[in-house]
Amino acid sequence: MPLCTWLKAGTLAATVVLATATGANATPASEPSAVSASAVVTLRYDDSRAGGWESAIAAGVASWNANVDNVRLVEAAPGTRAEIVIVATTGWPRATLGPVRPGGQVRVELGSQAVAQGYDKTRIAAHELGHSLGLPDTKPGPCSQLMSGSSAGTACRNAVPNATEQARVESAYANGAASIVPADGRILVDAP
């Protein structure tokens, strides 16, 4: 048998052994900590009417996406319907209380009045997105609670949901879109 045939056979055998060994050591998909891609609820947001808030919205979205597994926020393509409509206003921030379902719709208003009084734009954006994901206010509350909103004071810059807030969102979206109770339509105004 020529040498090149031996080399091909040896390479094939090594590949089969390596693939088998890798498969035997892989983490099974059924482990409780693994979230299947089909169970992740994707919600689109439209910030095309939120001029001046783009970086705060991006940071707020990134915070939620980094801290929860069952729901993913993505920017809607131009001209497509979004579940979360974000607009800039001159009043106090406000949002429709979710959790929003895919195909449903809630509104987030990012109010410049709060910014004028010294509140952090990224915290405001992340907080209002939290309402869309089903979290009510927890006022009064410490800065470590994202949903404490304005009650934490103007010095608070925390835009990361704490473990309790993360768990509540994970629970709301635990079994994909089928388990989500629709948004009740209440508007939460975040004035102090």
Side-chain angles (χ1 to χ4, degrees):
M1 184 182 290
L3 180 60
C4 69
T5 304
W6 278 102
L7 290 174
K8 286 180 187 175
T11 302
L12 178 61
T15 302
V16 169
V17 169
L18 183 58
T20 304
T22 302
N25 293 325
T27 303
S30 62
E31 282 195 19
S33 63
V35 177
S36 76
S38 63
V40 175
V41 175
T42 300
L43 299 173
R44 296 162 302 186
Y45 68 91
D46 174 5
D47 63 355
S48 63
R49 295 185 296 158
W53 287 84
E54 295 85 357
S55 63
I57 294 166
V61 165
S63 179
W64 279 108
N65 285 344
N67 288 289
V68 294
D69 295 321
N70 292 337
V71 64
R72 187 76 32 223
L73 302 174
V74 298
E75 190 168 4
T80 62
R81 188 174 192 281
E83 286 83 12
I84 303 171
V85 176
I86 307 171
V87 299
T89 69
T90 58
W92 274 95
R94 63 181 66 214
T96 310
L97 181 60
V100 63
R101 289 181 173 192
Q105 194 167 66
V106 294
R107 181 178 169 98
V108 167
E109 295 182 8
L110 300 175
S112 62
Q113 188 173 357
V115 176
Q117 291 193 16
Y119 292 96
D120 181 67
K121 283 179 118 174
T122 300
R123 178 171 168 84
I124 292 168
H127 175 91
E128 298 306 324
L129 287 168
H131 288 319
S132 297
L133 298 174
L135 297 178
D137 288 315
T138 55
K139 294 179 179 182
C143 183
S144 60
Q145 292 177 343
L146 176 60
M147 299 314 293
S148 67
S150 61
S151 71
T154 57
C156 181
R157 303 282 186 254
N158 174 39
V160 178
N162 68 20
T164 301
E165 294 163 335
Q166 293 170 26
R168 289 188 69 187
V169 171
E170 294 286 24
S171 178
Y173 292 91
N175 297 311
S179 68
I180 303 169
V181 175
D184 71 4
R186 284 188 292 159
I187 304 295
L188 303 177
V189 180
D190 289 304

